[in-house]
Amino acid sequence: AMLERYILLCAQEIHGGLRDKPSKPRDFYHTCYNLSGLSVAQHCSNHVEEPDEGYGDTEQSMLAPTHPCYNIRVDRVADMLKMTWTNL
């Protein structure tokens, strides 16, 4: 929940993109890094905190689950693996 709040409140650049910290400019690396972190924060529970309903407008801020190794949506990884195994 805290990571999600930080990303949504501090890492967003007003003109788009995400940044490392409020004093830094936006860039592609930190945009990808923050979106990955936001997806993990929204979909992976550590069972330490109470379940969080999300932060802000969940219709606008909720991301699809991201695969931790491939850093793309989980459903796309499943499609990729299915296609790979059927073509062997």
Side-chain angles (χ1 to χ4, degrees), residues 6-83:
Y6 179 83
I7 292 170
L8 294 173
L9 294 174
C10 300
Q12 290 192 80
E13 166 64 43
I14 189 101
H15 300 291
L18 297 159
R19 54 193 169 200
D20 182 27
K21 49 188 97 143
S23 62
K24 301 289 184 177
R26 65 187 175 181
D27 59 55
F28 292 117
Y29 173 79
H30 286 98
T31 296
C32 180
Y33 184 80
N34 275 295
L35 289 173
S36 299
L38 184 57
S39 177
V40 168
Q42 290 175 340
H43 297 285
C44 297
S45 173
N46 62 8
H47 303 288
V48 173
E49 299 177 18
E50 296 211 5
D52 193 5
E53 296 291 323
Y55 185 77
D57 184 352
T58 54
E59 282 190 33
Q60 292 185 8
S61 63
M62 187 60 73
L63 299 178
T66 302
H67 191 282
C69 295
Y70 299 112
N71 197 29
I72 58 176
R73 288 179 13 195
V74 172
D75 61 323
R76 300 297 169 91
V77 173
D79 291 344
M80 177 185 67
L81 293 173
K82 188 185 330 173
M83 203 166 60

